[in-house]
């Protein structure tokens, strides 16, 4: 190992994920957008941290993922990379930085890799982004695909309903998944599609599938961390399981602090100089 490396934790790589699929060990992925949370999730054993463009919703309060910029994604990604010792860090290519122009896709991906220190990029779509994927891969940058509900296309579909319920769309998705596999993507997210289809895809490709509303047969699962921790409010899709109610925990702590300050109970004589 390089003399410049301090820690000697065994890092997760894209190759680790392939080995996990072969061994039948499920992959646990969560989103992260900042240093402090990345440290906690890494300490908790998350295999993969996704710097999702859901930062547009969760961090910035936008309605959709469309407004977040490449500069903003790089800022989030660099912060996450500094917080991680073990997890693989993947970064979403934001809307408008890879579609329809493979040169731009490569340039955007190179900026992410160079300026954030992340390990891979993710992009949404199948056949329509084939050229972009080829070009990014040709520079040695690992690419993850994302099929099914693709939030950057929300204005094309109009709703966040389950995708590929009809036979024709299911066939299209399976074909896209095989294409991503054959192009050399190291994995793919399957978002909000029937469990049976996700199972068929998972059995038809060599690389790991990571489900969000893709059911139990995916090779791994991903959730938005703030959803899983109960920080986001009024978001209750069927695929979401909440492992904490941090909105309430943080609100209660805030109320206690506010009340202490008002009552002049904080700071006390030991908490001053
Ligand atoms: N906080 C958060 N969590 C996410 O999972 C997430 C984001 N933001 N932003 C980007 C995308 C958008 N995603 C979404 C958005 C909506 C549903 C969804 O199921 N919405 C409705 C049902 C809509 C319908 O059936 O018409 C729901 O039940 O909440 C799922 C995933 C997933 N991503
Ligand atoms: C929900 C996951 C897969 C994602 O793309 C995001 O968080 O942006
Ligand atoms: Mg995303």
């Amino acid at each position: 190992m390089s003399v410049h490396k301090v820690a000697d934790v065994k890092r997760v790589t894209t190759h680790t994920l392939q080995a996990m699929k072969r061994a039948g060990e499920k992959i646990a992925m969560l989103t992260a957008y900042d240093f402090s949370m990345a440290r906690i999730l890494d300490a908790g054993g998350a295999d993969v941290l996704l710097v999702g463009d859901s930062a547009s919703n969760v961090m910035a309060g936008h309605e959709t993922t469309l407004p977040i910029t490449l500069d903003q994604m790089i800022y989030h990604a660099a912060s996450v990379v500094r917080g991680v010792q073990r997890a693989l860090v993947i970064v979403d290519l934001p809307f408008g930085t890879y579609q329809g122009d493979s040169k731009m896709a490569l340039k955007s991906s190179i900026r992410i890799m160079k300026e954030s220190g992340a390990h891979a990029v993710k992009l949404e779509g199948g056949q329509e982004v084939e050229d972009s994927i080829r070009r990014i891969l040709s520079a040695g940058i690992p690419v993850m695909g994302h099929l099914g509900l693709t939030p950057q296309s929300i204005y094309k579909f109009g709703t966040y309903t389950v995708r590929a319920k009809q036979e024709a769309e299911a066939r299209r998705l399976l074909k896209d998944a095989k294409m991503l596999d054959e192009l050399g993507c190291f994995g793919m997210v399957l978002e909000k599609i029937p469990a049976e289809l996700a199972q068929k895809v998972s059995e038809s490709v060599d690389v790991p599938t990571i489900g969000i509303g893709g059911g139990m047969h995916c090779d791994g699962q991903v959730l938005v961390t703030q959803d899983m921790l109960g920080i986001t409010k009024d978001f209750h899709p069927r695929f979401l399981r909440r492992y904490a109610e941090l909105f309430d925990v943080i609100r209660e702590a805030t109320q206690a602090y506010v009340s202490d300050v008002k009552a002049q109970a904080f700071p006390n004589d030991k908490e001053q100089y």
Side-chain angles (χ1 to χ4, degrees):
M1 187 180 271
S2 154
V3 292
H4 304 291
K5 279 274 160 69
V6 207
D8 59 352
V9 187
K10 186 123 171 56
R11 298 203 72 112
V12 177
T13 68
T14 57
H15 302 275
T16 314
L17 303 185
Q18 322 267 345
M20 286 168 79
K21 170 158 184 163
R22 285 195 298 275
E25 181 188 346
K26 298 289 186 182
I27 297 159
M29 172 158 131
L30 285 167
T31 62
Y33 317 113
D34 70 271
F35 171 81
S36 300
M37 189 68 85
R39 283 184 85 176
I40 301 172
L41 304 175
D42 190 67
D47 301 305
V48 186
L49 294 186
L50 171 67
V51 184
D53 58 352
S54 51
S56 181
N57 308 94
V58 178
M59 292 287 105
H62 291 296
E63 192 81 34
T64 71
T65 57
L66 306 206
I68 199 164
T69 67
L70 186 57
D71 285 332
Q72 289 163 344
M73 288 301 295
I74 289 169
Y75 166 78
H76 287 298
S79 306
V80 168
V81 167
R82 287 190 287 270
V84 159
Q85 285 191 296
R86 174 181 170 272
L88 180 78
V89 179
I90 306 174
V91 184
D92 265 347
L93 279 162
F95 177 67
T97 66
Y98 65 92
Q99 298 96 334
D101 181 345
S102 66
K103 269 192 188 169
M104 181 174 58
L106 175 58
K107 248 178 110 174
S108 306
S109 303
I110 288 176
R111 278 201 61 202
I112 287 173
M113 301 299 281
K114 236 187 217 302
E115 297 176 37
S116 77
H119 312 120
V121 300
K122 176 167 90 51
L123 49 71
E124 297 181 6
Q127 201 229 307
E128 68 278 16
V129 288
E130 178 181 351
D131 292 345
S132 292
I133 294 172
R134 276 188 199 285
R135 197 143 194 160
I136 301 165
L137 287 170
S138 76
I141 300 171
V143 177
M144 172 171 262
H146 182 157
L147 300 173
L149 198 174
T150 48
Q152 291 178 14
S153 311
I154 181 59
Y155 292 118
K156 174 179 169 186
F157 293 98
T159 69
Y160 290 102
T161 49
V162 65
R163 296 293 145 80
K165 279 176 88 169
Q166 304 302 319
E167 179 59 26
E169 202 192 339
R171 239 182 294 117
R172 172 82 256 164
L173 191 143
L174 182 60
K175 201 170 165 211
D176 281 341
K178 287 177 178 168
M179 185 205 76
L180 294 177
D181 189 23
E182 278 156 23
L183 285 177
C185 291
F186 70 88
M188 64 194 78
V189 165
L190 301 177
E191 181 162 351
K192 222 176 159 181
I193 63 171
E196 197 184 319
L197 174 61
Q199 176 173 17
K200 194 164 173 194
V201 170
S202 303
E203 288 166 356
S204 305
V205 298
D206 284 329
V207 295
T209 60
I210 310 291
I212 172 165
M216 61 178 81
H217 299 291
C218 291
D219 302 303
Q221 301 293 329
V222 59
L223 285 174
V224 167
T225 292
Q226 283 75 4
D227 298 341
M228 183 278 286
L229 294 177
I231 292 174
T232 46
K233 276 282 175 199
D234 309 319
F235 186 63
H236 303 282
R238 190 203 292 208
F239 64 73
L240 174 59
R241 187 182 297 181
R242 288 186 185 271
Y243 287 85
E245 292 296 340
L246 288 198
F247 187 104
D248 299 331
V249 170
I250 296 170
R251 191 200 53 231
E252 281 158 25
T254 305
Q255 284 168 341
Y257 165 76
V258 167
S259 141
D260 280 356
V261 170
K262 306 278 181 195
Q264 301 182 48
F266 175 80
N268 63 25
D269 51 0
K270 285 183 187 143
E271 291 162 330
Q272 60 190 359
Y273 301 94

